[in-house]
Each structure stands twice: as structure tokens, then as C-alpha cells.
């Protein structure tokens, strides 16, 4: 039994960042920075549990969407048989272990089998299991840089292609990437930080009443998980329906020029490099507007996603900690949104 997502006390930014990525996975994932014991992994598992089952091709190790992008194997079956069998599966949280090798991450081709039998046989990696699921990377700052590069490349392209000795295999790799790190244990290079769509900083809740409420809910859950879950089920159902409705509403949102100009006004006043910040901020604002039941972006949407989209992209002085530029961000937002 998993602790209900809606019963988690506080950590609202983290929960919002996760929900926005579910509504629009192309936002590019969420990096959660902070100390241990702050409900990071609990929130991810709880959100996966809350979401409805998805349609997949029956027996496919890559969880291919029967109506979407298919792996090489599913394409061959579709061409030969004309249709694909379906089944329903819950979304999962796939964990990426530290020390993982490139072959274990992206998979590999069994060259010996190909030579002996004349057939391609692909040994799936972690990215195969992660397709259409959550990929959770604890302590992402401790992974080797080339592994992080491969991970972020696949997350951006949505496809994993493995080529060995002139034989290639392709499968979809569309996952919701969630990385966690404790900055005290090492940093991520700015180039890698920028590749995460959103970023939040979490910490221990200091409000005594909320801390007591955490204990109260935890004790109730430990005593009788099923009864505790039943109490929260109406809120769980409401949130699940809200997220799925937002996913359906997202395609109807066309951001007006005025909203785009406001987003660019904020990013240019902060002198951010590149255009990724603009794109992520636009997508996150659209997802938030959809979650709030609208098909148009408001200034509140832009303001509420700004810190999530920009805090890890703002330029810092040497030895300056992330988050010290929040005053500059607030000044930029105030100046642009009042204009």
C-alpha cells in the first residue's frame, strides 16, 4: 500500500512540478534538490499510483502505445498481422541505480544471436522499462556525466536507438524524468542543470502544526493503510480526474502573443542563455492553465511557473548558492507583468 499523494503535507511546489510533467511530459522532467526525508520518492510513487491505467501493446517490453510511436518489434508485428493486441497497465516508477553502465541504460543488441540466427535480438535496458512511466534517479549529481547526457538526450528526443555492428533497434523512450540531489554532496554542471525542465528545492517543514499533522497522518497510515487510503480516496479520485481532464484540455490552448511577450520579457531581463527557458516556461504555463480548468494563459500562470522553470537557469557568481537570485526574478516578474 502506497501513501496517498493528496495526504502528503506541504511540499506544494514539488507536487505541482510533478503534476505539470504528467500533464505535458515534454516539459522535460523535474529536478528536486534538498535533504533526505522530505517525501521526494514518496510523492513520485504516490502520483504514479494515483494515475489511471494506460493502454499498451500486449507483451511488449517497451510498453508501446498501440495508437502512438512503436518499437521495431511492434512495427514488424503490425505490418505482418495488421493489428496489435492491447492490455491495460498501471504506470510504474523505474529507478536508475548509481554505477549503471551505458549498455544497462540504453540496452544492447545480442550480436552473437544475430550472427548465428540472422535475427535481431535486443536486450532491453532501463530506458525500455521507463517508457511511458516515471524514471526516478536518486542522487543524479553522483552519476557519471556521459550517463546523464544519454539520459537527458533520450528524454528530449523520446526515442532510444541502439546501433551495434551495423544492426540497429529503435524503441520509444518517453518517460517522466525525476532526478533528486543534495547540493551538499556535489553539483550538476550548468549544461546538465539546464536540461531539466523544472526544478524545485525542498526542505524540512518548520511549521510545528504541519509537522504534527505529518506525524498524525503517518501514524494513521501505519495503523491501518487500507482505512487511511479509503478516507483519502475521494480527493485522490478528484485529482486524478483533474489531471486527465487537463491533459485533454492542453491541446486546445494556443498561447496568445501577449503571453509569449511576457514570458520573453522575463527571461531576457534575467539575461538567460539560450531559448530553453522560454520554451519550458511556456509549456509549464500552458499545463498549469489546463490544470486550473482554463484554455488560456493568465499572468498568474506565468508567475506561478517562473520559479520552477527559471531558478536553476539563473546565472550565479562563483560559490553563490542556487536560489539567491529570487529577488531578481521577483523584480523581473513585477516589472513585466505590470507592464
Amino acid at each position: 500500500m502506497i501513501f496517498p499523494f493528496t495526504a502528503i503535507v506541504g511540499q506544494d511546489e514539488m507536487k505541482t512540478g510533478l503534476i505539470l510533467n504528467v500533464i505535458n511530459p515534454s516539459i522535460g522532467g523535474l529536478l528536486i534538490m534538498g535533504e533526505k526525508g522530505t517525501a521526494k520518492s514518496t510523492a513520485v510513487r504516490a502520483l504514479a499510483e494515483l494515475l489511471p491505467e494506460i493502454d499498451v501493446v500486449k507483451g511488449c517490453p517497451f510498453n508501446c502505445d498501440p495508437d502512438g510511436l512503436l518499437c521495431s518489434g511492434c512495427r514488424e508485428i503490425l505490418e505482418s498481422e495488421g493489428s496489435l493486441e492491447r492490455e491495460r497497465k498501471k504506470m510504474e516508477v523505474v529507478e536508475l541505480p548509481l554505477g549503471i553502465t551505458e549498455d544497462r541504460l540504453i540496452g544492447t543488441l545480442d550480436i552473437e544471436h544475430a550472427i548465428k540466427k540472422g535475427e535481431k535480438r535486443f536486450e532491453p535496458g532501463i530506458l525500455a522499462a521507463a517508457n511511458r512511466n516515471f524514471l526516478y534517479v536518486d542522487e543524479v549529481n553522483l552519476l557519471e556525466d556521459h550517463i546523464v547526457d544519454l539520459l537527458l538526450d533520450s528524454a528530449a528526443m523520446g526515442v532510444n536507438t541502439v546501433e551495434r555492428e551495423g544492426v540497429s533497434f529503435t524503441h520509444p523512450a518517453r518517460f517522466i524524468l525525476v532526478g533528486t540531489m543534495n547540493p551538499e554532496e556535489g553539483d550538476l554542471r550548468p549544461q546538465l542543470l539546464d536540461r531539466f525542465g523544472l526544478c524545485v528545492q525542498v526542505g524540512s517543514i518548520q511549521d510545528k502544526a504541519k509537522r504534527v499533522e505529518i506525524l498524525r497522518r503517518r501514524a494513521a497510515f501505519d495503523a491501518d493503510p487500507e482505512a487511511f487510503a479509503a478516507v483519502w480516496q475521494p480527493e485522490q479520485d478528484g485529482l486524478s480526474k483533474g489531471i486527465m481532464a487537463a491533459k485533454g484540455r492542453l491541446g486546445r490552448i494556443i498561447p496568445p502573443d501577449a503571453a509569449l511577450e511576457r514570458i520573453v520579457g522575463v527571461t531576457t531581463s534575467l539575461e538567460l542563455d539560450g531559448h530553453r527557458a522560454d520554451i519550458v516556461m511556456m509549456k509549464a504555463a500552458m499545463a498549469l492553465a489546463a490544470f486550473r480548468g482554463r484554455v488560456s494563459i493568465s499572468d498568474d500562470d506565468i508567475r506561478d511557473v517562473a520559479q520552477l522553470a527559471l531558478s536553476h537557469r539563473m546565472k550565479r557568481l562563483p560559490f553563490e548558492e542556487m536560489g539567491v537570485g529570487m529577488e531578481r526574478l521577483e523584480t523581473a516578474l513585477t516589472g513585466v507583468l505590470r507592464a
Side-chain angles (χ1 to χ4, degrees), residues 82-286:
S83 64
L84 296 166
E85 285 191 73
R86 296 168 179 250
E87 62 180 340
R88 302 275 291 171
K89 289 179 78 172
K90 286 290 292 181
M91 287 184 72
E92 298 176 1
V93 178
V94 178
E95 288 197 45
L96 188 79
L98 290 176
I100 190 170
T101 63
E102 181 176 331
D103 282 351
R104 182 73 188 98
L105 176 66
I106 65 175
T108 188
L109 290 167
D110 188 339
I111 299 300
E112 186 178 348
H113 183 84
I115 293 172
K116 287 182 177 177
K117 304 287 185 180
E119 302 170 346
K120 290 188 292 185
R121 187 165 73 183
F122 182 71
E123 295 179 3
I126 291 283
L127 292 183
N131 185 41
R132 304 181 70 206
N133 287 315
F134 289 87
L135 182 56
Y136 185 77
V137 190
D138 198 16
E139 299 182 306
V140 64
N141 52 324
L142 302 185
L143 284 175
E144 294 180 30
D145 280 357
H146 79 282
I147 294 292
V148 181
D149 276 330
L150 283 171
L151 198 58
L152 293 171
D153 282 346
S154 295
M157 293 187 295
V159 173
N160 177 39
T161 300
V162 179
E163 296 184 339
R164 296 284 189 277
E165 306 292 335
V167 182
S168 69
F169 191 94
T170 300
H171 69 81
R174 293 176 173 168
F175 48 84
I176 299 171
L177 178 63
V178 181
T180 73
M181 61 177 279
N182 183 348
E184 294 177 358
E185 297 174 347
D187 239 335
L188 266 181
R189 285 188 287 121
Q191 295 90 336
L192 297 180
L193 268 179
D194 181 59
R195 302 278 296 277
F196 278 93
L198 306 178
C199 176
V200 295
Q201 296 196 50
V202 296
S204 303
I205 294 172
Q206 299 304 316
D207 183 274
K208 287 185 179 178
K210 289 183 178 178
R211 292 180 74 113
V212 169
E213 185 59 25
I214 291 173
L215 295 181
R216 189 178 290 124
R217 293 182 187 181
R218 187 69 226 187
F221 177 77
D222 289 344
D224 191 341
E226 292 184 357
F228 185 81
V231 169
W232 287 90
Q233 196 57 49
E235 288 200 42
Q236 293 278 97
D237 291 342
L239 179 58
S240 178
K241 288 177 183 174
I243 292 172
M244 299 314 293
K247 287 174 74 73
R249 196 177 292 120
L250 184 65
R252 291 191 278 138
I253 297 180
I254 299 174
D257 286 349
L260 300 182
E261 287 170 7
R262 285 184 172 85
I263 290 170
V264 172
V266 173
T267 56
T268 53
S269 66
L270 295 171
E271 299 179 336
L272 301 179
D273 294 331
H275 301 282
R276 187 172 284 125
D278 306 45
I279 295 168
V280 169
M281 199 167 164
M282 175 190 69
K283 289 183 176 182
M286 292 168 65

Side-chain angles (χ1 to χ4, degrees), residues 26-47:
S26 74
I27 285 174
L30 176 68
L31 177 62
I32 308 172
M33 305 177 74
E35 56 206 63
K36 293 184 180 299
T38 46
K40 297 189 290 291
S41 62
T42 299
V44 179
R45 293 180 197 290
L47 183 56

